[in-house]
Amino acid sequence: MPDPGALSTVGEFVAALRVIKAVESLSLRELQRRSGLPRTTIAHALNGERPSLPPWDRVLALLRAFGVAEDELGRWKDTWTRIRLTSTREAAAEAGAEQVVTLIEPPAPDRPHELGRASGAHQDAAAGAEAAAAVVIDVPRAPRARFGPRRRLLAQAGLLALGVGVGAAVVFGMTGTSKSPQHTSAAPAAAETCSPAGGGEVPEPLPPKPSQSDAVPTSSAQHPAWVARPASDAQILDDTDVDLPITTPVRAGDALVVSLMLTSTCPGRVEVTDTRGDEFRVAGDVMDGRHHRTVVLVGFHVHPLTTADSIRVMYPHASKYHVAVDEFRGVSQVVGHAQGHGEAGGASFSTNYVKLACAPGDLLVAAVGTNSGTAPAFTGEWSALPVLRLSSYRLSTAYRVAPPDRSCAATGRTTAQWGALAVALR
């Protein structure tokens, strides 16, 4: 039997799984019965030419179906995490996309409302500097496992119940959140089946509140800074939830910002949980005229998370998803959010159609979901984070500190169809 500790590449890991399958003489039909995974999903996970590791939940299900002892699963998880981290770093290095994290200075005595670079924040953000690359990550178009018939049945029933009132939902509900001159209310016929009953408005986000946990509270005197991206994924997936493994440990007391882009989706509840029970609440939510939705959720004062933990995202039916989870330090509340959306063929994107009240020194986080056209390029002092891309669909995220003139809008250039959010944290 293969020794997981001797594996060092994606190819070796998948080959080891194939060896165990051969040793145990298990057919795809038998593996399907034992694991509950579709045969196509199992075949894809065991494809020796796949460029990336299968998600850990699938690997775990297969190992148990193979009959691997429970006390050996921890070694397989450690190897899976090590190879995933190594392949992620190698991909970033090949793209030549390494950049230094922009840190924030304490205000100068003669300019109390300005924030610049802070030497005191250097050590806190050093661990995440390597991952602060503005790199486009191409994610393979791999199907993912479904998570059981009950959730699918509920989703199908919801779609049937929400099929009435499409015209009013699209024309009136979708136009209320953006004053962009590029905005149109027309939605494609394929998306009309998921209009919510009683109207098409995206629910107004509630400001997140700190979770009641034993995590170490964030110091109010600490200057805000980006730390790392502990989880991310993007897939073409006809489902309603996804589990993301933590690939970089998260420190107790920090905040996690979850940026989500859903394509061909519906208004409806979006939830985020993690294996430590932290609370995440919606901070911003926008849908463009083609039912592509961008959502930002935030969890404050989180528990410490390790590579044994994971984050689950649950959402309405969508044809694709992009999820980015970013760790920030020095923030403990949501001040507000602004949003906007526009059609393809323009030259820019902006959230300044909705005023965002922020103060100098607030941390601003932006998420822009786009389809086709040119990739979004943020203007001003925004620090771009790694981009998630599937074909022509992109989720672009960035952060900055609110300047003294309180210019808090997320702005930039693109010719794509877009939906943008700017969230102020303090």
Side-chain angles (χ1 to χ4, degrees), residues 164-178 183-188 191-192 195-196 198-202 267 287-291 341:
V164 182
V166 172
V170 174
V171 175
F172 299 106
M174 297 299 297
T175 59
T177 59
S178 174
H183 170 73
T184 62
S185 60
E192 292 180 355
S195 177
E201 293 188 5
V202 175
M287 178 121 56
D288 68 22
R290 295 184 180 274
H291 282 217
H341 59 90

Side-chain angles (χ1 to χ4, degrees), residues 172-250:
F172 299 106
M174 297 299 297
T175 59
T177 59
S178 174
K179 302 177 183 178
S180 168
Q182 297 176 330
H183 170 73
T184 62
S185 60
E192 292 180 355
T193 57
C194 63
S195 177
E201 293 188 5
V202 175
E204 181 68 17
L206 298 174
K209 62 183 181 180
S211 61
Q212 301 300 316
S213 69
D214 58 359
V216 179
T218 303
S219 170
S220 59
Q222 189 176 43
H223 295 292
W226 180 86
V227 179
R229 173 163 290 182
S232 66
D233 194 19
Q235 293 285 349
I236 299 174
L237 175 66
D238 186 19
D239 216 322
T240 58
D241 57 3
V242 61
D243 286 293
L244 304 176
I246 296 294
T247 58
T248 302
V250 176

Side-chain angles (χ1 to χ4, degrees), residues 294-315:
T294 304
V295 187
V296 172
L297 304 96
V298 188
F300 294 106
H301 306 302
V302 300
H303 290 83
L305 301 177
T306 70
T307 54
D309 293 302
S310 62
I311 291 178
R312 167 161 283 200
V313 182
M314 293 159 283
Y315 51 85

Side-chain angles (χ1 to χ4, degrees), residues 7 41 50 120 175 180 203 208 231 247 252 256 268 282 287 292 304 323 336 388:
L7 309 177
T41 299
R50 60 176 298 135
T175 59
S180 168
T247 58
L256 291 179
V282 174
M287 178 121 56
H292 304 324
V323 186
L388 298 180

Side-chain angles (χ1 to χ4, degrees), residues 272-293:
V272 174
T273 61
D274 64 29
T275 47
R276 295 298 306 275
D278 292 307
E279 180 182 8
F280 293 78
R281 303 189 73 193
V282 174
D285 194 339
V286 63
M287 178 121 56
D288 68 22
R290 295 184 180 274
H291 282 217
H292 304 324
R293 185 177 177 187

Side-chain angles (χ1 to χ4, degrees), residues 245-267:
I246 296 294
T247 58
T248 302
V250 176
R251 193 183 75 166
D254 283 355
L256 291 179
V257 176
V258 180
S259 302
L260 171 67
M261 179 189 179
L262 302 171
T263 63
S264 300
T265 188
C266 319

Side-chain angles (χ1 to χ4, degrees), residues 115 207-208 224-225 255-258 281-284 296-300 326-337 356-366 398-402 408 422-426:
L115 285 176
L256 291 179
V257 176
V258 180
R281 303 189 73 193
V282 174
V296 172
L297 304 96
V298 188
F300 294 106
D326 290 290
E327 180 184 0
F328 289 91
R329 195 157 293 163
V331 292
S332 59
Q333 63 176 310
V334 169
V335 177
H337 79 283
L356 174 56
C358 67
D362 286 346
L363 177 68
L364 305 177
V365 179
Y399 69 97
R400 67 166 301 181
V401 174
C408 298
V423 177
L425 308 176
R426 182 178 302 161

